[in-house]
């Protein structure tokens, strides 16, 4: 698990990215992690490994704002099919080297397409994410993230009614 953290540090350093590392107690809840990091819940880059239903070896690492929810039909369309599903914990570990919750918003595996919902990068000048470990986070300048990751930008979140008062 710590090798993903080291790869991230090396990658960001090699691109002269502006980032900081925060070590903290292991936490799986987005809102709680944001509180620990001193960032807004929406600033958290939630990384969700998805696979295309009915297709082998079609994967997408979908990055969205921590306060949003994925629309699996939109993700499925982005991956070239009808509907996507979340990858199992075992598959996520196998493909990313991380437990679910610790997957960073960067892919080190060429089989995984990187898709970022633009709401995340439009709202914040810095994004925060778990850095391959549940007890370490990074806060990275959004423009450096885009320059290094070069993701596909695509709206993949659920549309909420404008006057909705439901908490996501």
């Amino acid at each position: 698990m710590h090798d993903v953290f080291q790869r991230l540090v090396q990658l960001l350093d090699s691109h002269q990215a502006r980032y900081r590392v925060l070590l903290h107690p292991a936490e799986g809840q987005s809102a709680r992690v944001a509180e620990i990091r001193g960032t807004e819940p929406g600033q958290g880059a939630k990384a969700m490994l998805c696979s295309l239903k009915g297709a082998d070896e079609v994967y997408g690492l979908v990055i969205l704002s921590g306060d949003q929810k994925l629309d699996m039909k939109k993700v499925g369309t982005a991956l070239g099919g009808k509907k996507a599903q979340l990858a199992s914990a075992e598959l996520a570990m196998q493909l990313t080297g991380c437990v679910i919750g610790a997957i960073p918003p960067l892919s080190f595996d060429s089989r995984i397409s990187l898709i970022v919902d633009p709401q995340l990068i439009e709202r914040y000048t810095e994004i925060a994410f778990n850095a391959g470990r549940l007890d370490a986070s990074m806060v990275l300048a959004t423009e450096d993230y885009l320059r290094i990751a070069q993701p596909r930008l695509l709206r993949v979140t659920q549309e909420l009614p404008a006057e909705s008062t439901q908490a996501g």
Side-chain angles (χ1 to χ4, degrees), residues 20-152:
R20 58 190 181 278
V21 174
L22 305 170
L23 299 176
H24 52 74
E27 180 58 62
Q29 298 259 304
S30 301
R32 182 78 190 104
V33 167
E35 204 176 290
I36 293 168
R37 289 178 185 144
T39 57
E40 292 179 38
Q43 229 175 322
K46 190 161 54 172
M48 305 188 72
L49 184 64
C50 299
S51 61
L52 188 60
K53 275 193 174 175
D56 286 340
E57 307 265 325
V58 179
Y59 307 110
L61 185 60
V62 185
I63 314 303
L64 64 156
S65 192
D67 58 1
Q68 301 287 313
K69 293 194 180 325
L70 265 191
D71 181 322
M72 287 301 183
K73 285 190 175 152
K74 289 180 184 174
V75 175
T77 302
L79 294 177
K82 290 196 182 317
K83 196 169 182 189
Q85 62 194 5
L86 287 176
S88 68
E90 296 78 24
L91 185 61
M93 176 56 105
Q94 186 185 328
L95 290 174
T96 67
C98 301
V99 297
I100 288 177
I103 300 172
L106 291 147
S107 174
F108 294 107
D109 187 319
S110 60
R111 296 172 294 177
I112 303 172
S113 357
L114 186 62
I115 300 167
V116 173
D117 190 278
Q119 290 178 75
L120 172 67
I121 55 163
E122 289 164 356
R123 292 162 60 195
Y124 301 101
T125 56
E126 289 185 321
I127 60 168
F129 55 90
N130 280 356
R133 301 164 33 182
L134 290 173
D135 65 348
S137 292
M138 288 181 173
V139 178
L140 172 63
T142 303
E143 65 183 58
D144 289 342
Y145 170 66
L146 290 173
R147 177 173 55 87
I148 296 164
Q150 299 187 345
R152 216 167 123 201

